[in-house]
Amino acid sequence: MTEQFSYTLKVPRDRVGVLIGKKGEIKKHVEEATGTVIEIDSKEGDVVITAIDGLKLYEARASLFLVTSWVADTAARHPGTASVPTHSATHEALR
């Protein structure tokens, strides 16, 4: 049997949409890039990341932090302009 690792974090409910992205593209991108499974409870803000590789789990966690931080920082610098990053902006933030 293969061992799995998981990490649970809580995000503010106003950031849940950012993690999911338009049509789920941000979540899907992070899952594909890191080989993880991400479960998001949008009502509570609970996020569970599961992976077979502990390093990939850490990469997914860091990617989600980057995405939410990027949006918060952009919104603070340019009020009214940042809600959900575009696919290309998210892709650049995850590089």
Side-chain angles (χ1 to χ4, degrees):
M1 184 169 167
T2 305
E3 184 178 4
Q4 284 195 331
F5 300 93
S6 67
Y7 184 84
T8 303
L9 63 139
K10 187 100 167 164
V11 297
R13 288 187 306 195
D14 66 336
R15 297 281 189 260
V16 170
V18 172
L19 293 181
I20 296 170
K22 187 176 181 180
K23 298 183 182 179
E25 70 180 26
I26 304 247
K27 177 182 174 278
K28 182 178 177 182
H29 179 79
V30 173
E31 287 176 324
E32 289 175 355
T34 60
T36 60
V37 174
I38 301 169
E39 297 175 38
I40 301 171
D41 179 342
S42 58
K43 291 182 181 178
E44 298 297 322
D46 296 326
V47 178
V48 179
I49 308 166
T50 307
I52 295 172
D53 182 337
L55 182 57
K56 296 294 184 181
L57 179 78
Y58 178 77
E59 289 175 3
R61 183 183 74 123
S63 295
L64 295 180
F65 178 76
L66 262 174
V67 168
T68 57
S69 297
W70 179 84
V71 170
D73 182 58
T74 302
R77 291 175 191 228
H78 309 284
T81 61
S83 54
V84 177
T86 63
H87 176 72
S88 60
T90 303
H91 185 70
E92 289 300 315
L94 295 177
R95 285 182 178 209

Coordinates of all heavy atoms in Angstrom, one line a residue:
M1 N 0.8 -1.2 0.0 CA 0.0 0.0 0.0 C 0.9 1.2 0.0 O 1.9 1.3 0.7 CB -0.9 0.0 1.2 CG -1.9 1.1 1.3 SD -3.1 0.8 2.6 CE -3.8 2.4 2.7
T2 N 0.5 2.2 -0.8 CA 1.3 3.5 -0.9 C 0.8 4.4 0.2 O -0.3 4.7 0.4 CB 1.0 4.1 -2.3 OG1 1.4 3.1 -3.3 CG2 1.9 5.3 -2.5
E3 N 1.8 5.0 0.8 CA 1.6 6.0 1.8 C 1.2 7.4 1.2 O 1.8 7.7 0.2 CB 2.8 6.2 2.7 CG 2.6 7.2 3.9 CD 3.8 7.3 4.7 OE1 4.8 6.7 4.4 OE2 3.6 8.0 5.8
Q4 N 0.2 8.0 1.7 CA -0.2 9.3 1.3 C 0.0 10.4 2.3 O -0.1 10.1 3.5 CB -1.7 9.3 0.9 CG -2.0 8.7 -0.4 CD -3.4 9.0 -0.9 OE1 -4.3 9.3 -0.2 NE2 -3.5 9.0 -2.3
F5 N 0.3 11.5 1.9 CA 0.5 12.7 2.8 C -0.6 13.6 2.6 O -1.1 13.7 1.5 CB 1.8 13.4 2.5 CG 3.1 12.5 2.6 CD1 3.6 11.8 1.5 CD2 3.7 12.4 3.9 CE1 4.7 11.0 1.7 CE2 4.8 11.6 4.0 CZ 5.3 10.9 2.9
S6 N -1.0 14.3 3.6 CA -2.0 15.3 3.5 C -1.7 16.5 4.3 O -1.0 16.4 5.4 CB -3.4 14.8 3.8 OG -3.5 14.5 5.2
Y7 N -2.2 17.7 3.9 CA -2.0 18.9 4.6 C -3.4 19.7 4.6 O -4.0 19.8 3.5 CB -0.9 19.7 3.9 CG -0.6 21.0 4.7 CD1 0.3 21.0 5.7 CD2 -1.2 22.2 4.3 CE1 0.6 22.2 6.4 CE2 -0.9 23.4 5.0 CZ 0.0 23.4 6.0 OH 0.3 24.5 6.7
T8 N -3.8 20.2 5.7 CA -5.1 20.9 5.8 C -4.8 22.3 6.2 O -4.0 22.6 7.0 CB -6.0 20.3 6.8 OG1 -6.2 18.9 6.5 CG2 -7.3 21.0 6.9
L9 N -5.4 23.2 5.5 CA -5.3 24.6 5.8 C -6.6 25.3 5.7 O -7.5 24.8 5.1 CB -4.2 25.3 4.9 CG -4.5 25.4 3.4 CD1 -4.1 26.8 2.9 CD2 -3.7 24.3 2.7
K10 N -6.7 26.5 6.3 CA -7.9 27.3 6.3 C -7.6 28.6 5.6 O -6.6 29.2 5.8 CB -8.3 27.5 7.8 CG -9.6 28.2 7.9 CD -10.6 27.2 8.3 CE -11.9 27.8 8.8 NZ -13.0 26.9 8.8
V11 N -8.5 28.9 4.6 CA -8.3 30.2 3.9 C -9.6 31.0 4.2 O -10.6 30.5 4.4 CB -8.1 29.9 2.4 CG1 -6.8 29.2 2.1 CG2 -9.2 29.2 1.8
P12 N -9.4 32.3 4.1 CA -10.6 33.2 4.3 C -11.6 32.8 3.1 O -11.2 32.6 2.0 CB -10.0 34.6 4.1 CG -8.6 34.5 4.4 CD -8.2 33.1 4.0
R13 N -12.9 32.9 3.5 CA -13.9 32.5 2.4 C -13.8 33.4 1.2 O -14.1 33.0 0.1 CB -15.2 32.5 3.1 CG -15.4 31.3 4.0 CD -16.8 31.2 4.5 NE -17.3 32.5 5.1 CZ -18.3 32.6 5.9 NH1 -19.0 31.6 6.1 NH2 -18.6 33.8 6.4
D14 N -13.4 34.7 1.4 CA -13.3 35.6 0.2 C -12.1 35.2 -0.7 O -12.0 35.8 -1.8 CB -13.2 37.0 0.7 CG -11.9 37.4 1.4 OD1 -11.3 36.5 2.0 OD2 -11.6 38.6 1.5
R15 N -11.3 34.3 -0.3 CA -10.1 33.8 -1.1 C -10.4 32.5 -1.8 O -9.6 32.0 -2.6 CB -8.9 33.7 -0.3 CG -8.4 35.0 0.3 CD -7.6 35.8 -0.7 NE -7.0 36.9 -0.1 CZ -7.5 38.2 -0.1 NH1 -8.7 38.4 -0.7 NH2 -6.9 39.1 0.4
V16 N -11.5 31.8 -1.4 CA -11.8 30.5 -1.9 C -12.0 30.5 -3.4 O -11.4 29.7 -4.2 CB -13.1 29.9 -1.3 CG1 -13.5 28.6 -2.0 CG2 -12.7 29.6 0.2
G17 N -12.7 31.5 -3.9 CA -12.9 31.7 -5.4 C -11.6 31.8 -6.1 O -11.4 31.4 -7.2
V18 N -10.6 32.5 -5.5 CA -9.3 32.7 -6.1 C -8.6 31.3 -6.2 O -8.0 31.1 -7.3 CB -8.4 33.6 -5.2 CG1 -7.0 33.7 -5.7 CG2 -9.1 35.0 -5.2
L19 N -8.7 30.5 -5.2 CA -8.0 29.2 -5.3 C -8.7 28.3 -6.3 O -8.0 27.5 -7.0 CB -8.1 28.5 -3.9 CG -7.3 29.1 -2.8 CD1 -7.5 28.3 -1.5 CD2 -5.9 29.2 -3.2
I20 N -10.0 28.4 -6.5 CA -10.6 27.6 -7.5 C -10.4 28.1 -8.9 O -10.1 27.4 -9.8 CB -12.2 27.5 -7.2 CG1 -12.4 26.8 -5.8 CG2 -12.9 26.8 -8.3 CD1 -13.8 26.9 -5.3
G21 N -10.6 29.4 -9.1 CA -10.4 30.0 -10.4 C -11.6 29.9 -11.3 O -12.5 29.1 -11.0
K22 N -11.6 30.6 -12.4 CA -12.7 30.5 -13.3 C -12.7 29.1 -13.9 O -11.7 28.6 -14.4 CB -12.4 31.5 -14.5 CG -13.6 31.7 -15.4 CD -13.3 32.8 -16.4 CE -14.4 32.9 -17.4 NZ -14.1 34.0 -18.3
K23 N -13.9 28.5 -13.8 CA -14.2 27.1 -14.2 C -13.2 26.1 -13.6 O -12.9 25.1 -14.2 CB -14.1 27.0 -15.7 CG -15.2 27.9 -16.4 CD -15.2 27.7 -17.9 CE -16.2 28.6 -18.5 NZ -16.3 28.5 -20.0
G24 N -12.6 26.4 -12.4 CA -11.8 25.5 -11.7 C -10.3 25.4 -12.3 O -9.6 24.6 -11.9
E25 N -10.0 26.4 -13.2 CA -8.7 26.3 -13.8 C -7.5 26.5 -12.9 O -6.4 25.8 -13.1 CB -8.6 27.2 -15.0 CG -8.5 28.7 -14.7 CD -8.4 29.6 -15.9 OE1 -8.9 29.2 -17.0 OE2 -7.9 30.7 -15.8
I26 N -7.6 27.3 -11.9 CA -6.4 27.5 -11.0 C -6.2 26.2 -10.2 O -5.1 25.7 -10.1 CB -6.6 28.6 -10.0 CG1 -7.0 29.9 -10.8 CG2 -5.5 28.8 -9.0 CD1 -6.0 31.0 -10.8
K27 N -7.2 25.7 -9.6 CA -7.1 24.4 -8.8 C -6.6 23.3 -9.7 O -5.7 22.6 -9.3 CB -8.5 24.0 -8.3 CG -8.6 22.7 -7.5 CD -10.0 22.4 -7.1 CE -10.1 21.1 -6.5 NZ -10.3 20.0 -7.4
K28 N -7.2 23.2 -10.9 CA -6.7 22.1 -11.8 C -5.3 22.3 -12.2 O -4.5 21.3 -12.3 CB -7.6 22.1 -13.1 CG -7.3 21.1 -14.1 CD -8.2 21.1 -15.3 CE -7.9 20.1 -16.3 NZ -8.7 20.1 -17.5
H29 N -4.9 23.5 -12.5 CA -3.5 23.8 -12.8 C -2.5 23.4 -11.7 O -1.5 22.7 -12.0 CB -3.3 25.3 -13.2 CG -1.9 25.6 -13.6 ND1 -1.4 25.4 -14.8 CD2 -0.9 26.2 -12.8 CE1 -0.1 25.8 -14.8 NE2 0.2 26.3 -13.6
V30 N -2.8 23.7 -10.5 CA -1.9 23.4 -9.4 C -1.9 21.9 -9.2 O -0.9 21.3 -9.0 CB -2.4 24.1 -8.1 CG1 -1.6 23.6 -6.9 CG2 -2.2 25.6 -8.2
E31 N -3.1 21.2 -9.3 CA -3.1 19.8 -9.2 C -2.3 19.1 -10.2 O -1.5 18.2 -9.9 CB -4.6 19.3 -9.3 CG -5.4 19.6 -8.1 CD -6.8 19.1 -8.2 OE1 -7.4 19.2 -9.4 OE2 -7.4 18.7 -7.2
E32 N -2.4 19.5 -11.5 CA -1.6 18.9 -12.6 C -0.1 19.2 -12.4 O 0.7 18.3 -12.7 CB -2.2 19.4 -13.9 CG -3.5 18.8 -14.3 CD -4.1 19.4 -15.5 OE1 -3.5 20.3 -16.1 OE2 -5.2 19.0 -16.0
A33 N 0.2 20.4 -12.1 CA 1.6 20.8 -12.0 C 2.3 20.1 -10.8 O 3.5 19.9 -10.9 CB 1.7 22.3 -11.8
T34 N 1.6 19.7 -9.8 CA 2.2 19.2 -8.6 C 1.8 17.7 -8.4 O 2.4 17.1 -7.5 CB 1.8 19.9 -7.3 OG1 0.4 19.9 -7.2 CG2 2.3 21.4 -7.4
G35 N 0.9 17.2 -9.1 CA 0.5 15.8 -8.9 C -0.2 15.5 -7.6 O -0.1 14.5 -7.0
T36 N -1.0 16.5 -7.2 CA -1.7 16.4 -6.0 C -3.2 16.4 -6.2 O -3.7 16.7 -7.3 CB -1.4 17.6 -5.0 OG1 -1.7 18.8 -5.7 CG2 0.1 17.6 -4.6
V37 N -4.0 16.2 -5.2 CA -5.4 16.3 -5.2 C -5.8 17.4 -4.2 O -5.3 17.3 -3.0 CB -6.1 15.0 -4.9 CG1 -7.6 15.2 -4.8 CG2 -5.8 13.9 -5.9
I38 N -6.6 18.4 -4.6 CA -6.9 19.5 -3.7 C -8.4 19.5 -3.6 O -9.2 19.5 -4.5 CB -6.5 20.8 -4.3 CG1 -5.0 20.8 -4.5 CG2 -6.9 22.0 -3.4 CD1 -4.4 22.0 -5.3
E39 N -8.9 19.4 -2.3 CA -10.3 19.4 -2.0 C -10.5 20.8 -1.3 O -9.8 21.1 -0.3 CB -10.7 18.3 -1.1 CG -10.5 16.9 -1.8 CD -10.8 15.8 -0.8 OE1 -11.7 15.9 0.0 OE2 -10.0 14.8 -0.9
I40 N -11.6 21.5 -1.7 CA -11.8 22.8 -1.2 C -13.3 22.9 -0.7 O -14.2 22.6 -1.5 CB -11.6 23.9 -2.2 CG1 -10.1 23.9 -2.7 CG2 -11.9 25.3 -1.6 CD1 -9.8 24.8 -3.8
D41 N -13.5 23.2 0.6 CA -14.8 23.4 1.1 C -15.1 24.9 1.1 O -14.6 25.6 1.9 CB -14.9 22.9 2.5 CG -16.3 23.1 3.2 OD1 -17.1 23.9 2.7 OD2 -16.5 22.4 4.2
S42 N -15.8 25.3 0.1 CA -16.0 26.8 -0.2 C -16.8 27.4 0.9 O -16.7 28.6 1.1 CB -16.6 27.0 -1.5 OG -17.9 26.3 -1.6
K43 N -17.6 26.7 1.6 CA -18.5 27.3 2.7 C -17.6 27.6 4.0 O -17.8 28.5 4.6 CB -19.6 26.4 3.1 CG -20.7 26.3 2.0 CD -21.8 25.4 2.3 CE -22.8 25.4 1.2 NZ -24.0 24.5 1.4
E44 N -16.7 26.7 4.3 CA -15.9 26.8 5.5 C -14.5 27.4 5.3 O -13.8 27.8 6.2 CB -15.8 25.4 6.2 CG -17.1 24.9 6.7 CD -17.8 25.8 7.7 OE1 -17.1 26.3 8.5 OE2 -19.1 25.9 7.6
G45 N -14.0 27.3 4.0 CA -12.7 27.7 3.7 C -11.6 26.7 4.0 O -10.4 27.0 4.1
D46 N -12.0 25.5 4.2 CA -11.1 24.4 4.5 C -10.5 23.8 3.2 O -11.3 23.6 2.2 CB -11.7 23.2 5.2 CG -12.2 23.6 6.6 OD1 -11.5 24.5 7.2 OD2 -13.3 23.1 7.1
V47 N -9.2 23.6 3.1 CA -8.5 23.1 2.0 C -7.7 21.9 2.4 O -6.9 22.0 3.3 CB -7.6 24.2 1.3 CG1 -6.9 23.6 0.1 CG2 -8.4 25.4 0.9
V48 N -7.9 20.8 1.7 CA -7.1 19.6 2.0 C -6.3 19.2 0.8 O -6.9 19.1 -0.3 CB -7.9 18.4 2.4 CG1 -7.1 17.2 2.7 CG2 -8.8 18.8 3.7
I49 N -5.0 19.2 0.9 CA -4.1 18.8 -0.2 C -3.6 17.4 0.1 O -3.1 17.1 1.2 CB -2.9 19.7 -0.3 CG1 -3.4 21.2 -0.4 CG2 -2.1 19.4 -1.6 CD1 -2.2 22.2 -0.2
T50 N -3.7 16.5 -0.9 CA -3.3 15.1 -0.7 C -2.3 14.7 -1.8 O -2.5 15.1 -2.9 CB -4.5 14.1 -0.7 OG1 -5.4 14.6 0.2 CG2 -4.1 12.7 -0.4
A51 N -1.2 14.0 -1.4 CA -0.2 13.6 -2.4 C 0.5 12.4 -1.9 O 0.5 12.1 -0.7 CB 0.8 14.7 -2.6
I52 N 1.1 11.7 -2.9 CA 1.9 10.5 -2.6 C 3.3 11.0 -2.2 O 4.0 10.4 -1.4 CB 1.9 9.5 -3.8 CG1 0.6 9.0 -4.0 CG2 3.0 8.4 -3.5 CD1 0.4 8.1 -5.2
D53 N 3.7 12.1 -2.8 CA 5.1 12.7 -2.6 C 5.0 13.9 -1.7 O 4.3 14.9 -2.0 CB 5.6 13.0 -4.0 CG 7.0 13.6 -4.0 OD1 7.5 14.1 -2.9 OD2 7.7 13.6 -5.1
G54 N 5.7 13.8 -0.6 CA 5.6 14.9 0.4 C 6.1 16.2 -0.2 O 5.7 17.3 0.1
L55 N 7.2 16.2 -1.1 CA 7.7 17.4 -1.7 C 6.6 18.0 -2.6 O 6.5 19.3 -2.6 CB 8.9 17.1 -2.5 CG 9.6 18.3 -3.2 CD1 10.0 19.4 -2.1 CD2 10.9 17.8 -3.9
K56 N 5.9 17.2 -3.3 CA 4.8 17.8 -4.2 C 3.7 18.4 -3.4 O 3.1 19.4 -3.8 CB 4.3 16.7 -5.1 CG 5.3 16.1 -6.1 CD 5.7 17.1 -7.1 CE 6.6 16.5 -8.1 NZ 7.0 17.5 -9.1
L57 N 3.5 17.8 -2.2 CA 2.5 18.4 -1.3 C 2.9 19.8 -0.9 O 2.1 20.8 -0.9 CB 2.3 17.5 -0.1 CG 1.4 18.0 1.0 CD1 -0.1 17.7 0.6 CD2 1.7 17.3 2.3
Y58 N 4.2 19.9 -0.6 CA 4.7 21.2 -0.2 C 4.7 22.2 -1.3 O 4.3 23.4 -1.2 CB 6.2 21.1 0.3 CG 6.8 22.4 0.7 CD1 6.5 23.0 1.9 CD2 7.7 23.0 -0.2 CE1 7.1 24.2 2.2 CE2 8.3 24.2 0.1 CZ 8.0 24.8 1.3 OH 8.5 26.0 1.7
E59 N 5.0 21.8 -2.5 CA 4.9 22.6 -3.7 C 3.5 23.1 -4.0 O 3.3 24.3 -4.3 CB 5.4 21.9 -5.0 CG 6.9 21.7 -5.0 CD 7.3 20.8 -6.2 OE1 6.5 20.5 -7.0 OE2 8.5 20.5 -6.2
A60 N 2.5 22.2 -3.8 CA 1.1 22.7 -4.0 C 0.7 23.7 -2.9 O 0.1 24.7 -3.2 CB 0.2 21.4 -3.9
R61 N 1.1 23.5 -1.7 CA 0.8 24.4 -0.6 C 1.4 25.8 -0.9 O 0.8 26.8 -0.8 CB 1.3 23.9 0.7 CG 1.0 24.8 1.9 CD 1.6 24.2 3.2 NE 3.1 24.5 3.1 CZ 3.7 25.2 4.1 NH1 3.1 25.6 5.1 NH2 5.0 25.4 4.0
A62 N 2.7 25.8 -1.3 CA 3.3 27.0 -1.7 C 2.6 27.7 -2.9 O 2.5 29.0 -2.9 CB 4.8 26.8 -2.0
S63 N 2.2 27.0 -3.8 CA 1.5 27.5 -5.0 C 0.2 28.2 -4.6 O -0.1 29.3 -5.1 CB 1.2 26.4 -6.0 OG 2.4 25.9 -6.6
L64 N -0.6 27.5 -3.7 CA -1.8 28.1 -3.3 C -1.6 29.4 -2.5 O -2.3 30.3 -2.6 CB -2.6 27.1 -2.4 CG -3.1 25.8 -3.2 CD1 -3.8 24.9 -2.2 CD2 -3.9 26.2 -4.4
F65 N -0.5 29.4 -1.7 CA -0.2 30.6 -0.9 C 0.2 31.7 -1.9 O -0.2 32.8 -1.7 CB 1.0 30.3 0.0 CG 1.4 31.5 0.8 CD1 0.7 32.0 1.9 CD2 2.6 32.2 0.5 CE1 1.1 33.1 2.6 CE2 3.0 33.3 1.2 CZ 2.2 33.7 2.2
L66 N 1.0 31.4 -2.9 CA 1.3 32.4 -3.9 C 0.1 33.0 -4.6 O 0.0 34.2 -4.7 CB 2.2 31.7 -5.0 CG 3.7 31.9 -4.8 CD1 4.4 31.1 -5.9 CD2 4.1 33.3 -4.9
V67 N -0.8 32.2 -5.0 CA -2.0 32.6 -5.7 C -2.8 33.6 -4.8 O -3.2 34.7 -5.2 CB -2.9 31.5 -6.2 CG1 -4.2 31.9 -6.6 CG2 -2.2 30.7 -7.3
T68 N -3.1 33.2 -3.5 CA -3.9 34.0 -2.7 C -3.1 35.3 -2.3 O -3.7 36.3 -2.2 CB -4.3 33.2 -1.4 OG1 -3.2 32.7 -0.7 CG2 -5.3 32.1 -1.8
S69 N -1.8 35.2 -2.1 CA -1.0 36.4 -1.7 C -0.9 37.3 -2.9 O -1.0 38.6 -2.7 CB 0.4 36.0 -1.3 OG 0.4 35.2 -0.2
W70 N -0.8 36.8 -4.1 CA -0.7 37.7 -5.3 C -1.9 38.5 -5.4 O -1.9 39.7 -5.6 CB -0.4 36.8 -6.5 CG -0.3 37.6 -7.7 CD1 0.8 38.3 -8.2 CD2 -1.4 37.9 -8.7 NE1 0.5 39.0 -9.4 CE2 -0.9 38.7 -9.7 CE3 -2.7 37.6 -8.7 CZ2 -1.6 39.2 -10.7 CZ3 -3.5 38.0 -9.8 CH2 -2.9 38.8 -10.8
V71 N -3.1 37.9 -5.3 CA -4.4 38.6 -5.4 C -4.5 39.6 -4.3 O -4.9 40.8 -4.6 CB -5.6 37.6 -5.4 CG1 -6.9 38.3 -5.3 CG2 -5.5 36.8 -6.7
A72 N -4.2 39.3 -3.1 CA -4.3 40.2 -1.9 C -3.4 41.4 -2.1 O -3.8 42.5 -1.9 CB -4.0 39.5 -0.6
D73 N -2.2 41.1 -2.6 CA -1.2 42.2 -2.8 C -1.6 43.1 -3.9 O -1.6 44.3 -3.8 CB 0.2 41.6 -3.1 CG 1.2 42.7 -3.2 OD1 1.4 43.5 -2.3 OD2 1.9 42.7 -4.3
T74 N -2.1 42.6 -5.0 CA -2.5 43.4 -6.1 C -3.8 44.2 -5.8 O -3.9 45.4 -6.1 CB -2.9 42.4 -7.3 OG1 -1.7 41.7 -7.7 CG2 -3.3 43.3 -8.6
A75 N -4.7 43.6 -5.0 CA -5.9 44.3 -4.6 C -5.5 45.5 -3.7 O -6.1 46.6 -3.8 CB -6.8 43.4 -3.9
A76 N -4.5 45.3 -2.8 CA -4.1 46.4 -1.9 C -3.4 47.5 -2.7 O -3.6 48.7 -2.3 CB -3.1 45.8 -0.9
R77 N -2.6 47.2 -3.7 CA -1.9 48.2 -4.5 C -2.8 48.9 -5.5 O -2.6 50.1 -5.8 CB -0.8 47.6 -5.2 CG 0.3 47.1 -4.4 CD 1.4 46.4 -5.2 NE 2.3 45.7 -4.4 CZ 3.6 45.7 -4.5 NH1 4.1 46.4 -5.5 NH2 4.4 45.1 -3.7
H78 N -3.8 48.2 -6.0 CA -4.7 48.7 -7.0 C -6.2 48.4 -6.7 O -6.7 47.5 -7.3 CB -4.4 48.2 -8.4 CG -2.9 48.3 -8.7 ND1 -2.3 49.5 -9.1 CD2 -1.9 47.4 -8.7 CE1 -1.1 49.4 -9.3 NE2 -0.7 48.1 -9.1
P79 N -6.8 49.1 -5.7 CA -8.1 48.8 -5.3 C -9.1 48.7 -6.5 O -9.1 49.5 -7.4 CB -8.5 49.9 -4.3 CG -7.2 50.4 -3.9 CD -6.2 50.2 -5.0
G80 N -9.9 47.7 -6.4 CA -10.9 47.5 -7.5 C -10.4 46.8 -8.7 O -11.2 46.6 -9.7
T81 N -9.2 46.4 -8.8 CA -8.7 45.9 -10.0 C -8.3 44.4 -9.9 O -8.2 43.7 -10.9 CB -7.4 46.6 -10.5 OG1 -6.4 46.4 -9.5 CG2 -7.6 48.0 -10.8
A82 N -8.2 43.9 -8.7 CA -7.8 42.5 -8.6 C -8.9 41.7 -7.9 O -9.2 42.0 -6.7 CB -6.5 42.3 -7.8
S83 N -9.4 40.7 -8.6 CA -10.3 39.8 -7.9 C -9.8 38.4 -8.1 O -9.2 37.8 -7.2 CB -11.7 39.9 -8.4 OG -11.8 39.8 -9.8
V84 N -9.9 37.9 -9.3 CA -9.4 36.5 -9.6 C -8.3 36.7 -10.7 O -8.6 37.4 -11.7 CB -10.5 35.6 -10.1 CG1 -9.9 34.3 -10.5 CG2 -11.5 35.4 -9.0
P85 N -7.1 36.2 -10.5 CA -6.1 36.4 -11.6 C -6.4 35.7 -12.9 O -7.1 34.7 -12.8 CB -4.8 35.8 -10.9 CG -5.3 34.9 -9.9 CD -6.6 35.4 -9.4
T86 N -6.0 36.2 -14.0 CA -6.2 35.5 -15.2 C -5.3 34.3 -15.3 O -4.3 34.2 -14.5 CB -5.8 36.4 -16.4 OG1 -4.4 36.7 -16.3 CG2 -6.6 37.7 -16.4
H87 N -5.6 33.4 -16.2 CA -4.8 32.2 -16.3 C -3.3 32.5 -16.5 O -2.4 31.9 -15.9 CB -5.3 31.3 -17.4 CG -4.5 30.1 -17.6 ND1 -4.5 29.0 -16.7 CD2 -3.6 29.7 -18.6 CE1 -3.7 28.1 -17.1 NE2 -3.1 28.5 -18.3
S88 N -3.0 33.4 -17.4 CA -1.6 33.7 -17.7 C -0.9 34.4 -16.5 O 0.2 34.1 -16.2 CB -1.5 34.7 -18.9 OG -2.2 35.9 -18.7
A89 N -1.6 35.2 -15.7 CA -1.0 35.8 -14.6 C -0.8 34.8 -13.5 O 0.3 34.8 -12.8 CB -1.9 36.9 -14.0
T90 N -1.7 33.9 -13.3 CA -1.5 32.8 -12.3 C -0.4 31.9 -12.8 O 0.5 31.5 -11.9 CB -2.8 32.0 -12.2 OG1 -3.8 32.8 -11.9 CG2 -2.6 30.9 -11.2
H91 N -0.3 31.6 -14.0 CA 0.8 30.7 -14.5 C 2.1 31.4 -14.2 O 3.1 30.7 -13.8 CB 0.6 30.5 -16.0 CG 1.6 29.5 -16.6 ND1 1.6 28.2 -16.3 CD2 2.7 29.7 -17.4 CE1 2.6 27.6 -16.9 NE2 3.2 28.5 -17.6
E92 N 2.2 32.7 -14.5 CA 3.5 33.4 -14.2 C 3.8 33.4 -12.7 O 4.9 33.2 -12.3 CB 3.4 34.8 -14.7 CG 3.4 34.9 -16.2 CD 4.7 34.3 -16.8 OE1 5.8 34.6 -16.3 OE2 4.6 33.6 -17.8
A93 N 2.8 33.5 -11.8 CA 3.0 33.5 -10.4 C 3.4 32.2 -9.9 O 4.2 32.1 -8.9 CB 1.7 33.9 -9.7
L94 N 3.1 31.1 -10.6 CA 3.4 29.8 -10.2 C 4.8 29.3 -10.7 O 5.3 28.3 -10.3 CB 2.3 28.8 -10.6 CG 1.0 28.9 -10.0 CD1 0.0 28.0 -10.6 CD2 1.0 28.8 -8.5
R95 N 5.4 30.1 -11.6 CA 6.7 29.7 -12.1 C 7.8 29.9 -11.1 O 7.8 30.7 -10.3 CB 7.0 30.5 -13.4 CG 6.2 30.0 -14.5 CD 6.6 30.8 -15.8 NE 5.8 30.3 -16.8 CZ 6.3 30.2 -18.1 NH1 7.4 30.8 -18.4 NH2 5.5 29.7 -19.0

